[in-house]
Amino acid sequence: MEGQEPAGRSGSGHRSVPHTADLRVEAWAPTAEGCIGELVHAVVGSFADLSGARIVGERGCTVLAVSDADLLAGVLEEVIYRMDADGELPVALAIGRIEGLDGARTVAVRFRMAEAATAALVGAVPKAVSLHDLDLRAGPGGWTGQVTVDV
């Protein structure tokens, strides 16, 4: 497990949760954007050590969805797409403020990317984001999120 236990949490963090045949991660942060970032770090860190990976540049995207949870899924799907299509993984990311737009939600994301071939693989590579039990919500101590990723 990484990060701290959510009970009595302060700040941001994430952890892996036991789940049969898939990767399940939970995260927490003061903001929704921070929670999405923690979940991206948890998913990428579950299968790749990027400490020695070669940086190849920055990439940006804007995700449009009907809910905050769907924004989370969209950002993670972008990470998986970039890995499959471009052979790149995010070393760092900057997430803009989540905005409302005609009943939808939108968020801009900038990724600092590394060449996946120069990363050390340490786990099963994700294939897709599962919508089952996908969650991103505000609570009394900040935001929490959880996602299952098919590996």
Side-chain angles (χ1 to χ4, degrees):
M1 271 192 200
E2 243 180 270
Q4 303 171 16
E5 294 295 325
R9 71 182 179 270
S10 63
S12 301
H14 58 266
R15 67 180 180 162
S16 297
V17 179
H19 194 275
T20 306
D22 292 320
L23 169 66
R24 179 99 174 136
V25 292
E26 297 176 346
W28 54 96
T31 65
E33 297 85 356
C35 198
I36 291 171
E38 284 293 331
L39 287 161
V40 169
H41 288 301
V43 169
V44 173
S46 74
F47 72 93
D49 176 358
L50 300 174
S51 61
R54 186 174 71 82
I55 304 300
V56 294
E58 290 192 6
R59 311 284 182 255
C61 72
T62 299
V63 177
L64 179 67
V66 296
S67 70
D68 291 334
D70 289 338
L71 283 177
L72 165 61
V75 172
L76 287 169
E77 287 169 351
E78 180 71 14
V79 169
I80 293 169
Y81 169 77
R82 296 278 181 179
M83 180 183 59
D84 288 342
D86 302 328
E88 297 177 353
L89 291 169
V91 173
L93 68 157
I95 301 176
R97 194 161 98 68
I98 294 173
E99 304 281 342
L101 178 66
D102 296 328
R105 311 286 284 155
T106 185
V107 68
V109 184
R110 296 265 334 141
F111 297 102
R112 185 166 188 221
M113 304 300 281
E115 185 179 349
T118 63
L121 290 181
V122 296
V125 176
K127 303 293 181 211
V129 177
S130 172
L131 300 180
H132 181 69
D133 286 334
L134 175 69
D135 191 35
L136 181 65
R137 71 178 64 199
W143 285 76
T144 58
Q146 56 187 357
V147 65
T148 302
V149 179
D150 300 330
V151 293

